[in-house]
Amino acid sequence: MIRKRTTPLEDCGQSPGSCSADLRARILSNAPYFRGLQPQAIDAVNDLFRSTDYPAGVSLYHEGDPAEMLYLVAHGKVKLVQHSASGNEVLLDLLSQGEPFGGLATLGQRRYPQTAVAHTDCCVLTITTGDFRHLIRTYPEVALSALDGVARDLEAAHDVIRSLSTLPVEARIAQVLTNLAGRLGEADEQGVLIQSPLSQQDLAAMVATTPATVSRTISSLRRRGYLDTGRQWIRLRDPDGLEKLIENAGFTD
């Protein structure tokens, strides 16, 4: 991990088997594809999803497998990885509750572009291509949301390419941490806390640099008051300052 100190939070994850009907309905009603549907429609959507518990470290699918399922994180965290030519695991993203992943031919994916691994014990919801097509035919809002999702994914991919090609390492690390804080962080009086087992190797893969460079950069950001770090956690003490650091490096959203 980046640096070992006492973690400031208790483990707040839910135990496997806790993917209740109420949790499923809440996750689906707030999911990108189904947000805004009426409760009766959400019940119909819920009937088509299946829930599965995975222990940490288990692969949900592998890069290159046929894209036959769309997934949603119900609780816990899932990481998306690829493997380099040398066989090293490269972390692409960390996903938390409510975030979709996987893919369907309906959404333009024939094969999964990455491997999904349970980062912690987790429960995920899945729907098949046939059932998702049924939802698109039944609810036009789902079709429109699916198109919006494809557009967002393309925009996010362009942002990553632009970041890697134009930003210095420090700004790239600041951007990744800011993005993770927006999705995984918990605000408190000291800043925004990201509680996740995120290693130097993970961060290095996400910003296309080396673990040694990540270590030096994190130490510098910590000394200047931007961050605090510990075992399985990072706190953004000055999120606004990190945003300005990114902007000053020449990248704005």
Side-chain angles (χ1 to χ4, degrees):
M1 300 305 154
I2 290 172
R3 187 173 176 181
K4 292 185 178 181
R5 295 182 185 172
T6 304
T7 179
L9 287 183
E10 298 293 332
D11 181 6
C12 56
Q14 293 175 273
S15 61
S18 58
C19 237
S20 66
D22 287 345
L23 176 63
R24 287 164 53 102
R26 179 164 58 85
I27 294 298
L28 290 170
S29 64
N30 288 295
Y33 299 122
F34 312 118
R35 194 176 296 126
L37 290 180
Q38 296 299 312
Q40 185 176 3
I42 291 295
D43 289 340
V45 171
N46 201 351
D47 287 341
L48 296 178
F49 272 83
R50 299 292 177 265
S51 60
T52 307
D53 294 310
Y54 293 92
V58 170
S59 296
L60 284 65
Y61 58 78
H62 293 89
E63 179 182 354
D65 287 347
E68 299 173 340
M69 307 281 279
L70 180 69
Y71 295 74
L72 285 169
V73 182
H75 70 73
K77 294 183 177 67
V78 172
K79 63 180 179 179
L80 303 181
V81 303
Q82 287 182 330
H83 290 88
S84 67
S86 61
N88 292 326
E89 185 177 274
V90 177
L91 178 67
L92 302 177
D93 205 355
L94 280 176
L95 306 175
S96 61
Q97 188 176 79
E99 294 192 276
F101 63 104
L104 297 169
T106 302
L107 302 178
Q109 288 186 326
R110 297 292 177 183
R111 296 187 179 277
Y112 296 124
Q114 70 285 108
T115 298
V117 180
H119 196 51
T120 65
D121 291 349
C122 62
C123 175
V124 300
L125 309 181
T126 59
I127 189 169
T128 64
T129 297
D131 285 339
F132 193 80
R133 284 177 176 166
H134 169 74
L135 293 178
I136 287 177
R137 290 192 297 267
T138 305
Y139 305 105
E141 309 97 303
V142 175
L144 293 174
S145 295
L147 289 174
D148 289 342
V150 172
R152 284 194 302 271
D153 290 344
L154 287 173
E155 183 179 6
H158 291 157
D159 285 346
V160 169
I161 294 170
R162 182 169 51 172
S163 170
L164 292 177
S165 62
T166 62
L167 287 181
V169 170
E170 183 178 74
R172 298 205 301 269
I173 291 174
Q175 186 178 49
V176 165
L177 293 178
T178 298
N179 290 342
L180 289 175
R183 292 164 41 218
L184 309 177
E186 299 178 41
D188 59 24
E189 66 280 0
Q190 299 180 61
V192 182
L193 182 68
I194 306 169
Q195 184 173 252
S196 183
L198 189 66
S199 69
Q200 291 178 358
Q201 182 64 50
D202 291 334
L203 276 176
M206 295 177 81
V207 300
T209 189
T210 65
T213 299
V214 167
S215 179
R216 289 193 299 271
T217 304
I218 291 293
S219 295
S220 174
L221 291 172
R222 188 169 53 234
R223 285 195 305 270
R224 290 145 59 197
Y226 289 108
L227 304 175
D228 196 8
T229 62
R231 186 177 182 275
Q232 300 191 1
W233 59 269
I234 300 174
R235 177 181 279 112
L236 276 59
R237 298 184 63 88
D238 185 7
D240 292 339
L242 287 174
E243 290 280 6
K244 290 179 182 177
L245 188 154
I246 299 166
E247 292 174 5
N248 290 338
F251 179 84
T252 56
D253 290 330

